[in-house]
Amino acid sequence: MGLSLSSIGLGTYLGEDDAAVDAGYEASIAAGLAAGINVFDTAINYRGQKSERAIGRALAKAFDEGRTQRDEVFVSTKGGYFPHDGDDPRPPRRYVQESFLESGLAPKDEIAQQCHCIAPSYLRDQVARSLENLGLSTVDLYYLHNVETQLGAVDRMTFRERMKRAIAALEEEVGAGRIAAWGIATWDGLRVPPEHPEHISMAEVLGMAKEIAGDGHHFRAVQLPSSLAMAQGVVYRSQETGEGRRAALAAATTLGLAAFGSASIAHGQLAAGDLPEEIAEAFPGLQTSAQQALQFARSAPGVTSALVGVSSPEHALEDFALAKIAPVAPGRILGLFA
């Protein structure tokens, strides 16, 4: 039997790359584990690689103390953007130049918008760095990060060729045991229509995965913003599935993919004030705007887990209190848009 994932996950995007934020994330991870949260999401470029390291330290401590085991937690990270290293004394530009450009890991002719690369040599390097940061031998889910960035630099044919080579590299990483599965994490790409220049088609990526690795491919998940402030993934029909155009979350379900919602409380904006009365009525018994917004995000039809950035124990206790409350029926979510 596979691991059951919590419907709320902890994200690690926000915050300065300093020790105070590190400590906040580590305490929040401990609070999450105590509340039954087992989904932890990060990226190598978050906070100069320090978010990955904070997760690694927090989980290592939890493993050592017997509060959880490796097979009871699900860790995802991402690669594509050039990261700096918050623990390296070199200026970020010099770090990137010396680490990735002069070394040839990121071929000059495969860099998009001066910040993004999915060349196989670069992805292999990034997987290795992430594993070292996390202190893990295998990451459960590895995302190609905001691949629509590539479409700002190359045409669709070139993009497809780059994607296929990236997919082949990730399938090799699966074979080597360094990652268990892979996915695509996007910002706009899955929510905009096929006519948009940055549109990413789930069905097309699935087709490429099958072309590279057959039915035994390991394309398992997508990530996209999903919240009261960015609800396109719930209601806007942006994805062709072969069974008609569907909203991104519904398309993921149709195509057999897990869907992780990011920015569930819109980077804190939805927790800052009172939400409309109809939201409070839809989620009775919840005391704060943050809880109401997170209840929407985790209950949206098709969402596997809603990710919320929490770097303070106080906010962790508030947000993760929802773990004791069941998500609402999908019909209640869709009813908000009727």
Side-chain angles (χ1 to χ4, degrees), residues 44 49 52-53 83 85 95 99-100 103 105 124-134:
I44 194 169
Q49 305 185 49
E52 286 188 331
R53 292 167 187 160
D85 188 334
Y95 172 83
S99 300
F100 310 125
S103 66
L105 289 171
R124 284 191 286 268
D125 172 85
Q126 295 295 279
V127 170
R129 289 176 194 263
S130 288
L131 289 173
E132 182 178 358
N133 288 339
L134 291 162

Side-chain angles (χ1 to χ4, degrees), residues 10-30:
L10 189 149
T12 56
Y13 171 65
L14 297 177
E16 298 295 325
D17 54 354
D18 59 29
V21 176
D22 282 349
Y25 274 123
E26 291 174 49
S28 296
I29 292 165

Side-chain angles (χ1 to χ4, degrees), residues 38 55 81 163 172 174 188 190 198 217 249 255 322:
N38 66 356
I55 288 178
Y81 285 116
M163 281 292 294
E172 290 174 2
V174 173
D188 291 324
L190 297 177
E198 292 189 351
H217 67 84
L249 294 175
L255 297 172
L322 279 179

